[in-house]
Amino acid sequence: MSLYVGNLSYEVTQEDLNAVFSEYGTVKRIQLPTDRETGRLRGFGFVEMGSDAEEAAAIEALDGAEWMGRDLKVNKARPREDRGSFNAKRGNNNFRNRY
C-alpha cells in the first residue's frame, strides 16, 4: 500500500519528499504525476513506505503539517477507479439509436 500526499508545492522534488518521509521509516518508492500537456507537477504524489507502521507514523506526523508553505494532506492511497474509455461510455449510451 502507499500513501497519498496532497497539496504539494509545484516545486517539490522526489528528493524533497524522500528527505521528509525517511524520518518515519524506509521510503521504497515515490511517484510525482505530471500533467500530460504541460509536463508540470500536478500538486500531489504517492509515497510507498517499508511497513504499515511506518506509513501510520508518517500520516500521524505529516497530515495537516505545513511544508514548503502549504498544509499537507497525507492519507492511505485508495485504489485507482476504472473509469473506462471514452468510446466504451459512448457505446453504452447508444447515442445514434436514440435519434
Side-chain angles (χ1 to χ4, degrees):
M1 196 67 170
S2 63
L3 300 176
Y4 166 83
V5 185
N7 202 28
L8 288 172
S9 165
Y10 293 108
E11 307 302 317
V12 74
T13 65
Q14 288 189 357
E15 291 78 18
D16 294 332
L17 280 177
N18 188 52
V20 169
F21 280 83
S22 65
E23 293 181 32
Y24 305 97
T26 304
V27 176
K28 293 172 80 176
R29 187 169 61 112
I30 295 174
Q31 281 184 286
L32 289 171
T34 56
D35 183 271
R36 287 183 204 163
E37 294 179 18
T38 65
R40 182 177 149 173
L41 293 176
R42 296 181 64 195
F44 67 91
F46 300 94
V47 177
E48 187 176 333
M49 303 288 291
S51 71
D52 288 341
E54 292 170 348
E55 288 181 356
I59 291 170
E60 179 71 28
L62 299 173
D63 187 38
E66 185 180 336
W67 186 57
M68 294 181 79
R70 304 187 74 148
D71 293 335
L72 293 179
K73 179 68 181 157
V74 182
N75 54 38
K76 287 269 194 185
R78 291 181 287 202
R80 187 174 184 161
E81 294 179 10
D82 182 19
R83 296 184 196 152
S85 69
F86 176 75
N87 289 332
K89 289 182 181 179
R90 252 180 85 194
N92 291 340
N93 286 335
N94 224 355
F95 182 78
R96 289 186 197 133
N97 294 335
R98 287 193 279 164
Y99 296 99

